[in-house]
Amino acid sequence: MSSAYEKTAGPTSPTRPKVTEPVTLSDLAAELDLELRGEASVTGVSLSSQRVMPGDLYAALPGSRAHGATYAAGALEAGAVAVLTDAAGAAQLEAQRIEVPTLLADQPRKVLGALSARVYGDPSSRLRLIGVTGTQGKTTTTRLAESALLEAGHAAGVIGTVGTRIGGHDVKTPLTTPEAPDLHGLFARMVEEDTEACAMEVSSHALVMGRVDGVVFDVAVFLNLGRDHLDFHDTVEDYFQAKAALFTPERARMGIVNIDDEHGRRLAEEASIPVVTYALHEESADWHVSGIELRPDGSSFVVHGPDGLELPAASPLAGDYNVSNTLAALASIHHAYAAPGERASTEVVRSAAAALTQGSGVPGRLERVDAGQPFTVVVDYAHKPDAVEAALGTLRPLTESKLIAVIGAGGDRDSGKRPIMGEISARLADHVIVTDDNPRTEDPASIRRQVLEGTTGARAIVEEIGDRRAAIGRAIELAEPGDIVVVAGKGHETGQEIEGVTHPFDDREVAREAIAKQ
């Protein structure tokens, strides 16, 4: 066995550090008050038996369908050298006659984040971490922060819905917010590659399920809260409380809160960490803007911040809600680069704001598809009521003639939002085509029917075309010079999930093909 403190080459993976420092189980047991059975040195942590690397500690946790200990033999065969589990898991190991060094905890998931942080050398403490939560805008805000920092010459990473990037290079991860072992491994890789800052989406699921345990963000950002994820949370209040958990000393050092949002105003009063506020027009907010000029391809405005800070800025995305997202990104950069206990230097945020004036957009967020056509085609990820209203509401006043919307709803998700999305689409657009999104395991026709219920009595022309490719083709066929076509729901996604099978499908490519046939 190698020395416990001898650095060794780790497994080859873009989500793990290349070099790790082995940690003994006895050290982990002592630090986290765990029961120790046997000794070993570990160089990584895995929650999935299928993604175990040699030298890993395999986390065998209780699950809704099976206990992780069921798969321990496969994990050990793949190279795991120890197991973290509970009493039930230990009993399963014994029943399978598996003898392996083991750490025992009553609730192993609750210690998994802290344990993973320790194994990877507490990498999050060596990054400037920005955690962004909200019903909509997380991807836009984090991507704007990352691109602004990169363009301004600061090594940055991002973790979120569109994917993970380290130093401007894409890294594939399985979840919007990776599980705690993967997250700390990613942070360690970022540190190894001299990353300065990371902007990360923090979903309510991630907070409830402990995926960000062991992380204390330098800055936590609250964007907004609307109807979403009520298939996971019992009520909107539960949803709010899940997000509010980010604004506690265990998870963040300070918060930045949008007081244009009613839930943001409440959070600003209830948060148990220091909070600064932002808003588009409210001058009482610590961060606000003036002189907004909206254009189809973005906007320009002046940012006003603490201590008399004033700087010109721009957003590469249309709509005043993207002005708000850009303001949140710049404010988070400003405070993430503040030295503890000192006033922040404005140098970084000024260079970041200047970089955004030359920046590009965010994949699948009001992304324009330009193939030489005399009308505008936009692909957007809007798949919830607030997002649909924001996207169509932004484009409505920019439309010279007709606004044509292609809309659907995902299966196996909150069904109550479907007629609401239909109503919004039929109210704001001139022509609505209801189609399939990701039906998953639900009957697509039933989903469409629920969306169509909300369009009854609206002024818009409404069609139902289940085949998404045909629906996009129909929208392009209807478009004339001066029209805007919005294909909503899937944005950056490159697949359509039907009955457990993901079929290749990219709205942007399908739109380009339809335009080429005109």
Side-chain angles (χ1 to χ4, degrees):
M1 183 182 298
S2 62
S3 166
Y5 299 102
E6 176 188 349
K7 289 189 177 181
T8 60
T12 301
S13 169
T15 62
R16 300 267 193 119
K18 297 176 183 176
V19 176
T20 56
E21 188 172 276
V23 179
T24 63
L25 295 189
S26 55
D27 283 347
L28 293 171
E31 292 176 27
L32 299 172
D33 193 23
L34 305 175
E35 182 181 339
L36 174 66
R37 297 182 180 178
E39 180 64 291
S41 291
V42 298
T43 54
V45 185
S46 180
L47 187 55
S48 169
S49 61
Q50 297 178 339
R51 291 189 289 114
V52 162
M53 298 286 189
D56 272 0
L57 171 69
Y58 170 55
L61 309 187
S64 58
R65 298 181 180 178
H67 198 290
T70 306
Y71 310 104
L76 297 174
E77 186 177 345
V81 296
V83 174
L84 166 71
T85 193
D86 58 5
Q92 285 204 32
L93 293 177
E94 185 175 347
Q96 296 175 66
R97 298 183 179 179
I98 295 175
E99 295 184 5
V100 60
T102 304
L103 291 174
L104 285 178
D106 292 336
Q107 296 180 293
R109 182 173 281 280
K110 287 188 177 295
V111 302
L112 186 58
L115 184 148
S116 300
R118 175 65 179 85
V119 169
Y120 290 114
D122 194 20
S124 64
S125 67
R126 290 177 280 170
L127 294 165
R128 301 176 190 270
L129 284 183
I130 299 167
V132 180
T133 197
T135 302
Q136 57 177 320
K138 296 187 295 295
T139 298
T140 298
T141 302
T142 53
R143 284 281 175 145
L144 287 174
E146 180 232 14
S147 64
L149 286 169
L150 285 174
E151 291 298 321
H154 297 272
V158 66
I159 299 173
T161 306
V162 177
T164 294
R165 284 159 54 91
I166 301 176
H169 301 289
D170 292 325
V171 175
K172 187 174 182 179
T173 54
L175 297 168
T176 298
T177 307
E179 292 281 6
D182 297 323
L183 181 61
H184 289 281
L186 270 174
F187 286 153
R189 183 59 175 259
M190 289 183 182
V191 168
E192 197 171 62
E193 299 200 7
D194 297 322
T195 303
E196 290 180 13
C198 176
M200 175 179 167
E201 296 181 42
V202 184
S203 67
S204 58
H205 291 66
L207 290 160
V208 170
M209 298 175 72
R211 292 177 187 163
V212 290
D213 285 359
V215 179
V216 180
F217 292 92
D218 294 288
V219 179
V221 182
F222 178 88
L223 303 175
N224 47 61
L225 189 139
R227 183 190 175 107
D228 197 23
H229 300 309
L230 295 188
D231 53 327
F232 181 80
H233 303 286
D234 291 336
T235 64
V236 172
E237 176 64 19
D238 290 337
Y239 182 30
F240 170 77
Q241 292 298 339
K243 290 189 175 296
L246 181 59
F247 296 80
T248 59
E250 296 78 19
R251 298 201 183 275
R253 295 182 175 87
M254 69 160 294
I256 299 175
V257 175
N258 177 15
I259 59 172
D260 281 331
D261 182 271
E262 62 176 319
H263 293 94
R265 292 191 292 273
R266 174 184 170 187
L267 181 60
E269 295 179 356
E270 297 180 359
S272 56
I273 57 175
V275 165
V276 298
T277 59
Y278 78 96
L280 280 193
H281 305 290
E282 180 55 64
E283 293 187 10
S284 66
D286 299 296
W287 292 84
H288 58 278
V289 301
S290 64
I292 299 175
E293 294 184 11
L294 299 176
R295 304 182 306 277
D297 61 347
S299 59
S300 59
F301 47 93
V302 177
V303 169
H304 303 272
D307 303 316
L309 174 65
E310 185 175 306
L311 62 152
S315 172
L317 298 167
D320 58 0
Y321 68 96
N322 280 316
V323 174
S324 182
N325 291 333
T326 305
L327 178 62
L330 292 173
S332 67
I333 289 170
H334 180 84
H335 291 288
Y337 274 80
E342 299 178 5
R343 287 173 56 182
S345 165
T346 62
E347 180 182 345
V348 176
V349 73
R350 285 191 183 280
S351 59
L356 280 181
T357 63
Q358 307 298 321
S360 58
V362 178
R365 272 60 180 175
L366 291 183
E367 183 176 352
R368 295 178 64 145
V369 177
D370 190 355
Q373 75 277 8
F375 49 86
T376 299
V377 177
V378 173
V379 169
D380 193 77
Y381 190 52
H383 61 283
K384 59 197 78 169
D386 289 355
V388 173
E389 179 120 31
L392 296 182
T394 290
L395 297 170
R396 174 77 268 174
L398 302 177
T399 306
E400 297 176 15
S401 185
K402 299 191 303 294
L403 179 59
I404 303 167
V406 178
I407 187 79
D412 302 334
R413 300 293 186 270
D414 175 17
S415 60
K417 68 183 180 183
R418 295 169 186 171
I420 300 173
M421 292 166 61
E423 185 278 327
I424 293 167
S425 301
R427 170 165 44 87
L428 293 175
D430 300 292
H431 199 121
V432 177
I433 302 172
V434 176
T435 190
D436 294 341
D437 191 299
N438 290 312
R440 299 186 176 90
T441 64
E442 279 195 69
D443 173 33
S446 176
I447 298 172
R448 296 196 304 273
R449 187 161 52 247
Q450 291 174 64
V451 175
L452 286 164
E453 287 173 3
T455 67
T456 304
R459 67 174 185 83
I461 298 171
V462 179
E463 294 185 60
E464 178 184 4
I465 302 176
D467 183 277
R468 192 172 181 89
R469 185 179 299 273
I472 293 172
R474 171 62 173 161
I476 299 298
E477 178 185 282
L478 288 168
E480 299 174 333
D483 289 351
I484 295 180
V485 174
V486 184
V487 182
K490 293 172 60 58
H492 65 282
E493 293 179 351
T494 56
Q496 184 179 32
E497 187 179 344
I498 304 171
E499 290 293 344
V501 178
T502 300
H503 304 271
F505 199 100
D506 187 324
D507 285 351
R508 298 161 295 189
E509 291 303 316
V510 172
R512 288 189 185 96
E513 292 169 5
I515 293 167
K517 293 178 181 178
Q518 293 294 98

